[in-house]
Amino acid sequence: LWADMAPRRALLLLLLLLLAALRAAAELDPYAVLGVRRGCSQADIKKAYKRLAREWHPDKNKDPGAEDKFIQISKAYEILSNEEKRANFDRYGEAGESQGYSQHRQFHHFHEGFYFDESFFHFPFNSERRDTSDEKYLLHFSHYINEIVPDSFKKPYLIKITSDWCFSCIHIEPVWKEVAQELEVLGVGIGVVHAGYERRLAHHLGAHSTPSILGLINGKITFFHNAVVRENLRQFVENLLPGNLVEKVTDKNYIHFLSNWKKENKPHVLLFDHMPLAPLLYKLTAFAYRDYLSFGYVYVGLRGTEELSSQYNINVYTPTMMIFKEQIDKPADVVQARDMKKQLIDDFLSQNKFLMAARLTSQKLFQELCPVKKSHRQRKHCVVLLTREGDKFSEAYEAFLTFAVANTKDSLRFVHIYSDRQPEFADSFLGDDEKYQGKSAVVILERRNNAGRVAYKTLEEAWQGSREDNFILLDLLDQLRTDPSFLSSDTVLTDLNDELAPMFLIRWFYSTLDYISDCWDSLFHNNWREMMPLLSLLFSALFILFGTVIVQAFGDSSDARDSPPPEKEETTTKAEKNDTSFSKESNSRVPKKGFVEVTELTDINYNSNLVRLRPGHMNVVLILSNATKTPLLQKFALEVYTFTGSSSLHFSFLSLDKHREWLEYLLEFAQDAAPIPNQYDKHFLERDYTGYVLALNGHKKYFCLFKPHRSGDEGGTLGACEDYESSLHTEARGKSSCSPGSRSIKNKLHKLSFWMERLLEGSLQRFYIPSWPALD
């Protein structure tokens, strides 16, 4: 009986496995996940992905299944956005690596529910259980490049590189999970890269082994090299942050610290706490808001802070955060809480990012303080004080600041600007009006678009800060609230100068320090396998350098010893000979100033130079014959010399005597631009194509055509010889006007440089072909 049931049980097991596989394939249909049809375009796929990603993002959608849905959407987009994976799915129902990974995980679901259990093997490699906590942190290459790297300028990232069948990965998982949850709450970004399914991203990050942990900040990668314990990981993240984010403030320097608001044009933040060092949360916050605020830390338990704590009435047992703006004797805003959470701090700082009457020091700040009007209800008006530096203008500024503090609203911003530092901005409103010369002025404006157009109204009299000026400005603001068309004048502003941008030497110095630190870290921490290519290159360069020096030293001495002294008369003769025999001895060599590397397009290099040319690269090919090779190459080199700096352009020439059929096949796709001979043309085999230039894009299968210039014709549709029939008769008589070396042949490439400029601009007509013909 058992023998009869064994085949049935095996068949039943096989059917269950098949049903599970079919179910997995059905669940992982990327078209169904994104809700698009199979023949849709990449634009439709991208549009559907963006719509669903916004809808199901875990940070915005509180649905319990939002995370799983978002992961499915990301995996579906990864398959369909890759043409190779999409083709595999359309043909075989699978998409390669990521699909195999999903099926592998579905199989774990199956064996857990039926016959197999991991405890039977005592082998803890259940990827479903092990990777569940990391699922929401998984990174893909495009997501990393487009979102994570830009976001690293606002917060640091801690990224783990893992893989299947990795003993060490399993060992560090408990510590990683604890630290990831703790740091994420503080504002650190967490990422996980699966090296088995994201090889491209792992290679881009420089991770050659698993597990690896690295930090990312300001787009720069730093590897973690210590033991994976909680304290080391926290210290690693803290070391990623710049060291000058938070200044230590005491009774001695707090006045100097708070008084820097005018120089830095930023509000200043002070955190009072009883911890000896600034908390990591505070440092992360300082990094995120470093462009808007300056941060200081006061350790209230330290001797030397009593005066500071007493002046601002600080509760030493409760963390207190204060923001100071133009007035340093009292804070503009205060928050106090026993447990400072990230959300509380973000809300507090985001409402106090700017001074009460901030100075416009850059175009970015101007756009933030005075945003473009989006609707009637979202009107934002700016009241701008145009003034100058010095004690002479301080009274007018103080009066304007007092007015701003008393009248600030959500729809109204008060700012000031130094006319001598931003003269173009001031001239747009004041012009050459003499009544404003040497005085301050006030302008009410509203930005209409991002191109610089503004509507504005200037106070008729200069601003002196008097009581009458205050009443006039208050009356104008009341009129503006009831009648927006009150701003009757308009103008177009140029972008503001960035007054606080670091100078070139400072930027160069910091870049050099970063480069040296990267080299030092690579030299003493990376393994030898990573360093071998660099060391090999270094020793090869040194060997070539010393070898060249030795050869030149011995070669120069022997040449100087053996060669007779030159005679002045002989030198003069040689120079004259070189000038007159350029076309005879040099042939295709052009003067050194206009040297261009031009290779012949043959059947040997045809695939590498055209068919398999990298995307974005083009091969500019000159058509010539043996008789016209020398003059055309000389003229071609001089015309395209200025474009040789582009690494995406390659220059070649094609022999018309060898490959006429290939050329005529291509020109059939440009019938409207270049007439092609037919079988009734008596000069079918003699038609002259010399001087034609083709720009060939091997990857996208199209070409652009340059036709030889005809004398007296600006457009130029034929060759330099105006009548081909007469040229043949002339050649028959032995008096060819298109003979090699003649000026008419060189004129064929007249204005080729202008054509090259249009080629780089992308404004030339393109002729597409189904496939590149063989060059036989």
Side-chain angles (χ1 to χ4, degrees):
L1 180 62
W2 285 103
D4 293 337
M5 292 181 64
R8 296 180 184 179
R9 294 177 63 190
L11 180 60
L12 178 61
L13 177 61
L14 182 62
L15 288 174
L16 289 175
L17 286 171
L18 181 60
L19 287 174
L22 291 175
R23 181 185 175 188
E27 290 178 354
L28 292 169
D29 182 5
Y31 293 101
V33 173
L34 294 183
V36 295
R37 53 185 177 82
R38 283 188 174 267
C40 64
S41 63
Q42 286 291 338
D44 296 334
I45 293 172
K46 190 173 185 179
K47 184 177 180 182
Y49 168 71
K50 286 186 176 181
R51 175 177 56 81
L52 292 172
R54 282 195 297 265
E55 179 183 355
W56 290 97
H57 197 283
D59 293 342
K60 298 181 179 179
N61 194 322
K62 303 305 179 183
D63 190 286
E67 283 189 15
D68 295 336
K69 182 68 175 177
F70 183 75
I71 292 169
Q72 286 186 357
I73 293 169
S74 300
K75 290 181 178 178
Y77 178 69
E78 182 184 3
I79 294 172
L80 297 185
S81 61
N82 188 307
E83 292 295 343
E84 183 178 352
K85 292 182 180 180
R86 183 180 180 182
N88 288 338
F89 182 84
D90 292 340
R91 292 174 186 171
Y92 312 114
E94 59 183 18
E97 295 174 357
S98 61
Q99 188 75 4
Y101 176 47
S102 301
Q103 291 177 354
H104 170 70
R105 295 181 56 204
Q106 292 290 343
F107 175 73
H108 277 288
H109 277 296
F110 174 77
H111 78 68
E112 286 173 1
F114 285 87
Y115 295 96
F116 304 106
D117 183 65
E118 65 177 10
S119 61
F120 177 78
F121 299 100
H122 303 285
F123 213 58
F125 285 113
N126 188 327
S127 63
E128 175 67 20
R129 292 183 182 174
R130 180 163 55 88
D131 292 334
T132 301
S133 60
D134 292 339
E135 190 101 359
K136 64 178 180 178
Y137 303 126
L138 287 176
L139 301 180
H140 305 290
F141 185 82
S142 58
H143 178 227
Y144 172 81
I145 296 297
N146 298 326
E147 297 183 27
I148 301 301
V149 172
D151 199 38
S152 69
F153 289 84
K154 298 179 182 178
K155 63 181 181 181
Y157 273 82
L158 190 65
I159 300 175
K160 179 182 71 171
I161 317 295
T162 185
S163 64
D164 284 335
W165 312 105
C166 172
F167 289 93
S168 300
C169 299
I170 299 172
H171 179 70
I172 69 171
E173 274 186 11
V175 178
W176 168 261
K177 183 178 180 180
E178 178 188 358
V179 173
Q181 291 176 350
E182 179 184 352
L183 294 180
E184 188 178 23
V185 174
L186 300 179
V188 178
I190 305 296
V192 176
V193 177
H194 200 295
Y197 308 107
E198 283 293 336
R199 295 191 185 95
R200 182 183 179 190
L201 179 54
H203 179 74
H204 176 79
L205 295 174
H208 302 290
S209 61
T210 55
S212 294
I213 296 178
L214 58 90
L216 174 69
I217 189 169
N218 291 331
K220 177 185 174 183
I221 295 172
T222 304
F223 275 86
F224 175 77
H225 299 288
N226 297 325
V228 182
V229 295
R230 176 180 175 274
E231 292 75 14
N232 289 346
L233 287 173
R234 280 182 59 93
Q235 189 62 43
F236 172 68
V237 171
E238 192 164 352
N239 292 340
L240 292 176
L241 299 169
N244 57 349
L245 282 175
V246 179
E247 184 175 345
K248 187 177 180 180
V249 179
T250 62
D251 293 341
K252 296 181 179 180
N253 65 342
Y254 81 96
I255 294 179
H256 177 267
F257 172 76
L258 297 177
S259 300
N260 275 339
W261 68 266
K262 195 167 189 178
K263 178 182 178 182
E264 298 176 0
N265 196 36
K266 296 178 182 178
H268 282 57
V269 184
L270 279 181
L271 175 64
F272 296 82
D273 203 351
H274 57 276
M275 303 295 292
L277 299 176
L280 178 58
L281 172 60
Y282 190 57
K283 292 183 178 180
L284 292 169
T285 304
F287 179 76
Y289 290 90
R290 67 190 185 281
D291 293 336
Y292 302 98
L293 303 163
S294 292
F295 292 82
Y297 181 73
V298 181
Y299 173 34
V300 295
L302 179 68
R303 181 178 299 177
T305 60
E306 296 87 353
E307 178 186 344
L308 188 57
S309 302
S310 175
Q311 179 173 348
Y312 298 116
N313 195 22
I314 300 300
N315 183 355
V316 296
Y317 300 104
T318 304
T320 305
M321 186 177 293
M322 293 183 173
I323 287 188
F324 296 83
K325 296 186 178 180
E326 284 89 346
Q327 298 177 347
I328 66 172
D329 56 337
K330 62 178 180 179
D333 205 351
V334 180
V335 63
Q336 192 176 56
R338 289 190 177 276
D339 189 12
M340 285 277 188
K341 299 291 187 181
K342 182 179 184 301
Q343 187 62 46
L344 175 66
I345 296 177
D346 287 342
D347 294 341
F348 177 68
L349 296 181
S350 60
Q351 297 173 5
N352 295 279
K353 289 166 54 177
F354 305 105
L355 297 170
M356 300 302 297
R359 180 162 62 92
L360 299 180
T361 56
S362 66
Q363 183 66 18
K364 178 184 176 183
L365 185 60
F366 179 44
Q367 292 173 351
E368 290 195 62
L369 289 171
C370 306
V372 175
K373 177 191 69 173
K374 295 182 179 180
S375 66
H376 179 73
R377 293 183 178 181
Q378 295 179 340
R379 288 181 179 273
K380 296 287 186 180
H381 297 98
C382 271
V383 183
V384 186
L385 172 67
L386 303 174
T387 185
R388 293 177 181 269
E389 296 181 85
D391 297 336
K392 178 182 177 182
F393 301 93
S394 60
E395 184 178 349
Y397 167 74
E398 293 294 339
F400 181 79
L401 176 60
T402 303
F403 185 90
V405 172
N407 295 276
T408 297
K409 301 177 182 178
D410 292 339
S411 60
L412 204 61
R413 286 282 192 184
F414 291 86
V415 296
H416 72 284
I417 196 168
Y418 288 154
S419 302
D420 51 344
R421 297 194 183 187
Q422 307 287 350
E424 295 181 356
F425 186 92
D427 292 344
S428 300
F429 299 109
L430 306 181
D432 297 329
D433 199 335
E434 295 182 357
K435 63 183 177 181
Y436 299 113
Q437 296 295 329
K439 298 180 180 180
S440 301
V442 173
V443 177
I444 306 173
L445 64 85
E446 178 186 19
R447 292 182 63 225
R448 293 296 173 85
N449 57 34
N450 291 318
R453 180 166 295 279
V454 298
Y456 70 95
K457 174 72 174 178
T458 306
L459 267 67
E460 295 182 359
E461 299 296 332
W463 174 268
Q464 297 178 353
S466 64
R467 188 173 182 182
E468 181 181 356
D469 290 343
N470 281 266
F471 280 122
I472 293 174
L473 180 56
L474 189 61
D475 183 58
L476 292 177
L477 293 178
D478 288 339
Q479 295 182 44
L480 178 65
R481 182 167 51 85
T482 57
D483 183 18
S485 61
F486 169 71
L487 305 178
S488 55
S489 304
D490 66 335
T491 186
V492 177
L493 301 176
T494 58
D495 289 350
L496 296 177
N497 305 321
D498 193 349
E499 299 178 14
L500 303 179
M503 299 179 63
F504 170 76
L505 289 177
I506 298 177
R507 294 199 303 269
W508 178 86
F509 176 73
Y510 283 124
S511 300
T512 305
L513 287 180
D514 289 339
Y515 178 76
I516 294 173
S517 65
D518 289 342
C519 294
W520 182 271
D521 183 72
S522 299
L523 183 62
F524 286 97
H525 290 106
N526 288 357
N527 55 47
W528 283 103
R529 186 181 66 177
E530 298 175 27
M531 294 298 298
M532 281 304 295
L534 179 61
L535 294 175
S536 176
L537 180 62
L538 179 62
F539 283 114
S540 299
L542 292 175
F543 178 78
I544 294 173
L545 177 63
F546 284 110
T548 305
V549 171
I550 294 172
V551 169
Q552 286 183 347
F554 285 99
D556 291 344
S557 60
S558 60
D559 292 342
R561 186 170 56 251
D562 298 338
S563 59
E567 297 182 4
K568 185 182 295 184
E569 186 176 332
E570 183 180 354
T571 304
T572 307
T573 306
K574 285 185 178 181
E576 294 176 355
K577 184 178 180 181
N578 288 337
D579 292 340
T580 57
S581 61
F582 176 76
S583 61
K584 296 179 182 178
E585 294 183 1
S586 301
N587 288 341
S588 61
R589 184 186 297 272
V590 294
K592 187 173 183 180
K593 180 181 178 182
F595 178 77
V596 180
E597 183 179 355
V598 184
T599 58
E600 182 176 4
L601 195 63
T602 64
D603 55 346
I604 298 175
N605 60 13
Y606 179 66
N607 283 335
S608 59
N609 286 4
L610 176 59
V611 179
R612 297 175 182 172
L613 206 60
R614 286 179 293 174
H617 288 238
M618 300 189 74
N619 198 338
V620 182
V621 181
L622 169 68
I623 309 300
L624 49 76
S625 61
N626 292 334
T628 60
K629 182 176 181 180
T630 299
L632 281 181
L633 276 176
Q634 292 176 356
K635 181 64 175 177
F636 181 72
L638 293 173
E639 289 286 329
V640 304
Y641 172 69
T642 56
F643 304 94
T644 55
S646 174
S647 60
S648 62
L649 292 180
H650 309 269
F651 300 97
S652 306
F653 69 89
L654 184 79
S655 174
L656 187 63
D657 303 324
K658 302 177 184 177
H659 307 294
R660 175 181 289 270
E661 293 184 8
W662 180 88
L663 175 65
E664 290 180 343
Y665 172 80
L666 250 64
L667 294 180
E668 288 179 3
F669 294 93
Q671 289 277 3
D672 54 339
I676 306 302
N678 54 44
Q679 58 181 340
Y680 302 106
D681 191 342
K682 62 181 180 179
H683 300 299
F684 181 79
L685 298 177
E686 292 98 4
R687 181 169 293 275
D688 185 20
Y689 295 115
T690 57
Y692 277 58
V693 178
L694 289 81
L696 309 172
N697 190 313
H699 180 69
K700 293 189 176 180
K701 297 185 179 62
Y702 72 80
F703 66 92
C704 302
L705 179 64
F706 171 83
K707 298 166 294 175
H709 176 78
R710 186 167 70 179
S711 303
D713 186 3
E714 290 297 326
T717 56
L718 296 175
C721 302
E722 294 183 3
D723 192 314
Y724 187 81
E725 296 276 348
S726 62
S727 69
L728 290 179
H729 293 300
T730 306
E731 288 181 1
R733 294 193 300 268
K735 299 178 181 179
S736 173
S737 62
C738 294
S739 60
S742 67
R743 182 175 299 179
S744 59
I745 289 180
K746 290 188 176 183
N747 284 342
K748 286 189 174 188
L749 299 180
H750 183 55
K751 294 190 176 180
L752 176 62
S753 59
F754 296 104
W755 181 84
M756 290 290 298
E757 290 180 0
R758 293 185 59 196
L759 174 67
L760 294 179
E761 293 172 357
S763 59
L764 291 176
Q765 183 179 3
R766 298 177 179 180
F767 303 103
Y768 288 86
I769 63 172
S771 61
W772 294 110
L775 190 67
D776 297 329

